[in-house]
Amino acid sequence: MPTIAGPSSSPQKHVVGSRSEIIGGLRSAEVNTSRKRKLRSDSAAEVAATTVLSGNLISTPMKWKSPRRCAVSIPKTSNEEIKEDSNGKLTSPVISAVKNLSVCLDVKSKWNPRDDDQMKAVKEALHVSKAPSTVVCREDEQRRVFEFVKGCMEQKKAGSLYICGCPGTGKSLSMEKVRQQAEDWAKQAGLPCPETVSVNCTSLTKTTDIFSKILGNNESGKKANGSSSPLQQLKSLFSQKQQRSSSKMMLIIADEMDYLITRDRGVLHELFMLTTLPFSRCILIGVANAIDLADRFLPKLKSLNCKPLVVTFRAYSKDQILRILQERLVALPFVAFQSNALEICARKVSAASGDMRKALCVCRSALEILEIEVRGTIDQEPQGPAPESQVVKMDHMIAALSKTFKSPVVDTIQSLPQHQQIIVCSAAKAFRGSKKDRTIAELNKLYLEICKSSMITPAGITEFTNMCTVLNDQGILKLSHARDDKLKRVSLRVDEADITFALKEIRFFRNCLL
C-alpha cells in the first residue's frame, strides 16, 4: 500500500528548511567576502534570495552565483565592454557615453543664428585674417624650416631657403610661427635674437626697394655712407668683418618673391647672392607659388654652389582641411555647423585646389545663406524662438559651393537656347572617349538621335552648322576650316564637368549625359 505522508514529511517543511539554509549560506559567504570588493549590501542579498524562492517552488533550483560574478553578468554587456574608471570602479560603455554627452552639453551652449554676437563670433573664427594659435597639418614643414634657421644661427653661417607651394597652403602663416620659434630658441640658448626683416614683395613700389628695407633694419647699415645705392652698401657691409657687437644674424623673409622677377632677373639674383658674401649674416627665406623658380630663374646660383634649399608645401588633403576647420570652430561655445556639411566642403575644396582660404570662404558663404534664411523666418514668426535645427546643413553648404566654384562658362551654357544646349550635350557625349574631335556630320548625327529620342523637332544641317559657328564664337566649341561645312572638325573648348554642372538641374539633359 502506498504510504500516506504525515506531518513530519510535509513538503512545506522542506521548503522552509531549504530557505533557511540558503539564506544562511548567503550570509556566511558575505562575511567571508572582503569588505573592499563587496558590490552588494546584506539587504540586497536577502532580497535577491527571497525573490528567487518566491517563484515556482517546483521548478529547477537556480545555481547560486557570488555577488562579485553577478556584477559583470549584466545582460547584453560583454566582459570586454566592462571597463574600470580612474577610481577602480566598474563602468559600462553606456554610462561612459552618457557622462561624455553630459560633459559636451555642459560645455557647448545652444547655437542661435538670430543672435548677432554668436553670428559675428563664427564669422570672425572663419575669417582668413584670423591667425590661429597653432598651425596644424604643417608641423613637418615648420620643423624643417626651423632646423635650417637654427643651424645657421648656431654656426653663424649665412644660407638661403626657398619655400614653394600652391596658394592657401599655410606658407606665410608657417613662416610667422618659425620666426617666433627662432626668437624663443635664441633666448633659451643665450644667443642674440636675429634681426628680422619681413617683406611682402607685392607692397614694394620698385623691386630694388627690398634692399632699402633690408638696409633700414640693419644697425650697421644705418651708419654707412648714403651716397651709394642700398645694394652696394649691403655688399660692402657683408664683405668685411663686423664688430662683435654687431654680429647678430639677420633673418630675411621675402613673401611673394615671384614679384621680384624682372626681365634680367637681376634683383632676384643679387638678393640670393647676398648670402654668398664672405662675412654675410643673412638667412634668406623666399616664399612663392612657383615650384621651379630656383631652377628657371637662378641657374647661376647652382653653378656657384649656392642653390637654395627647397621646401614644398603641398595642397591640403580632405582630412587636413576638415581638421583645420574643426580646430577653428572647436573654441566656440556652440555648434554652428553639421559635421557632414564641413566634410563635403573639405572634399570639394581638396578636389578642386586644396586652398584653405577657399574652404574658409565657402564656410562663411554657407553661414550667410543660413543668415538670410533665418531673416525670412523672423519676418514670418517675429516672436518665435529659433529652431534647434537651424545650423549650417548640407543644403546650405552645397549652395555655397555652387556659388564659389561656379565659372562663367556655366552661366554661358545655362543661358543658351535649347537646341544649342542639345548640341553642347551631344559634343560632351561624343568626346568622352579617346577621340577628341569629330566632323560636323558626325556631331549632327548624334544631335538628331537625341532630338528623336525626346520627340523634339531637329534643326536642318544649315541651321545646325550656323549654331555650331555661334558656339565657336562663344568659346564653347572649336571649328576647323574646311571647304565643305560637313567636313569641318569640331572639338570642345570647355571641360565636360562644366557642361554636366550647368545642365544637371534639367532632367532631360541629365538623362542625356548619363
Side-chain angles (χ1 to χ4, degrees), residues 13-78:
K13 288 189 176 182
H14 290 291
V15 173
V16 173
S18 62
R19 179 183 298 179
S20 61
E21 289 174 4
I22 292 173
I23 295 175
L26 285 173
R27 285 180 175 169
S28 62
E30 289 168 3
V31 171
N32 294 331
T33 304
S34 173
R35 192 74 179 173
K36 183 177 180 180
R37 304 175 66 181
K38 186 172 68 172
L39 299 178
R40 288 189 179 182
S41 63
D42 294 344
S43 60
E46 290 179 8
V47 170
T50 306
T51 305
V52 170
L53 293 172
S54 64
N56 190 0
L57 297 176
I58 304 176
S59 63
T60 305
M62 295 178 64
K63 186 177 179 181
W64 178 84
K65 292 183 181 180
S66 69
R68 195 154 48 90
R69 290 183 63 187
C70 292
V72 293
S73 300
I74 303 171
K76 298 183 181 179
T77 306
S78 62

Side-chain angles (χ1 to χ4, degrees), residues 203-460:
S203 63
L204 300 175
T205 307
K206 298 183 295 182
T207 55
T208 54
D209 288 348
I210 190 170
F211 301 116
S212 303
K213 292 266 186 183
I214 298 171
L215 189 66
N217 262 61
N218 188 276
E219 294 178 356
S220 303
K222 293 176 182 177
K223 303 174 185 177
N225 185 13
S227 58
S228 56
S229 67
L231 176 59
Q232 293 299 326
Q233 293 183 42
L234 286 172
K235 285 183 176 181
S236 174
L237 184 66
F238 295 141
S239 298
Q240 54 188 355
K241 193 171 183 179
Q242 302 295 315
Q243 298 177 1
R244 192 168 183 179
S245 59
S246 60
S247 61
K248 285 184 179 181
M249 298 299 291
M250 177 179 287
L251 178 61
I252 304 171
I253 301 175
D255 201 359
E256 305 291 350
M257 181 179 270
D258 40 3
Y259 277 82
L260 297 179
I261 299 174
T262 54
R263 183 173 296 179
D264 59 353
R265 298 153 197 166
V267 174
L268 202 60
H269 184 265
E270 294 292 351
L271 182 62
F272 276 96
M273 286 298 292
L274 289 178
T275 62
T276 65
L277 296 175
F279 298 100
S280 176
R281 296 175 284 106
C282 292
I283 306 172
L284 176 62
I285 299 178
V287 183
N289 298 329
I291 295 176
D292 56 348
L293 182 140
D295 294 326
R296 284 192 299 146
F297 300 106
L298 303 172
K300 194 174 180 181
L301 294 181
K302 188 175 182 180
S303 62
L304 296 174
N305 292 325
C306 59
K307 183 180 177 181
L309 178 69
V310 179
V311 177
T312 304
F313 280 59
R314 302 196 177 277
Y316 285 115
S317 65
K318 183 263 294 184
D319 294 332
Q320 289 175 331
I321 292 175
L322 184 60
R323 183 185 169 192
I324 294 171
L325 290 174
Q326 290 171 343
E327 288 282 341
R328 283 179 172 257
L329 295 171
V330 73
L332 299 174
F334 39 78
V335 178
F337 287 80
Q338 281 186 349
S339 57
N340 54 0
L342 292 176
E343 185 174 349
I344 193 174
C345 172
R347 284 182 183 277
K348 177 63 178 177
V349 174
S350 64
S353 61
D355 188 341
M356 191 60 221
R357 293 177 296 189
K358 186 75 73 176
L360 293 173
C361 177
V362 170
C363 288
R364 283 173 59 88
S365 179
L367 199 66
E368 290 169 358
I369 293 172
L370 173 65
E371 191 176 13
I372 294 170
E373 185 180 288
V374 169
R375 286 177 183 171
T377 58
I378 289 175
D379 295 337
Q380 297 174 5
E381 302 175 9
Q383 301 299 328
E388 294 182 3
S389 60
Q390 281 190 329
V391 296
V392 176
K393 295 182 283 192
M394 286 281 287
D395 53 348
H396 302 118
M397 193 62 74
I398 290 172
L401 286 167
S402 301
K403 180 181 176 183
T404 304
F405 289 98
K406 194 173 183 180
S407 65
V409 175
V410 173
D411 290 330
T412 304
I413 296 173
Q414 288 177 341
S415 62
L416 292 174
Q418 184 186 35
H419 280 275
Q420 292 185 22
Q421 288 178 341
I422 295 175
I423 294 173
V424 172
C425 183
S426 304
K429 291 187 69 175
F431 303 134
R432 277 181 181 170
S434 58
K435 202 168 184 180
K436 297 303 179 185
D437 63 344
R438 291 178 181 268
T439 62
I440 282 187
E442 292 173 333
L443 187 62
N444 183 59
K445 184 179 179 181
L446 191 56
Y447 161 79
L448 292 174
E449 290 176 0
I450 293 176
C451 290
K452 185 177 179 181
S453 64
S454 306
M455 292 184 292
I456 297 174
T457 305

Side-chain angles (χ1 to χ4, degrees), residues 190-204:
L191 297 174
C193 289
E195 299 174 9
T196 305
V197 183
S198 295
V199 182
N200 190 316
C201 299
T202 60
S203 63
L204 300 175

Side-chain angles (χ1 to χ4, degrees), residues 445-509:
K445 184 179 179 181
L446 191 56
Y447 161 79
L448 292 174
E449 290 176 0
I450 293 176
C451 290
K452 185 177 179 181
S453 64
S454 306
M455 292 184 292
I456 297 174
T457 305
I461 185 63
T462 305
E463 189 178 353
F464 178 84
T465 306
N466 292 336
M467 287 190 290
C468 289
T469 305
V470 171
L471 293 172
N472 175 72
D473 295 339
Q474 292 182 331
I476 297 174
L477 296 181
K478 182 180 180 182
L479 287 177
S480 64
H481 296 285
R483 291 183 180 179
D484 190 352
D485 288 341
K486 291 183 180 180
L487 298 178
K488 288 183 178 179
R489 304 199 71 83
V490 186
S491 59
L492 266 179
R493 282 182 174 176
V494 298
D495 192 5
E496 184 189 341
D498 288 334
I499 299 173
T500 305
F501 184 82
L503 302 176
K504 68 179 181 179
E505 298 299 329
I506 305 172
R507 182 181 298 178
F508 164 69
F509 291 111

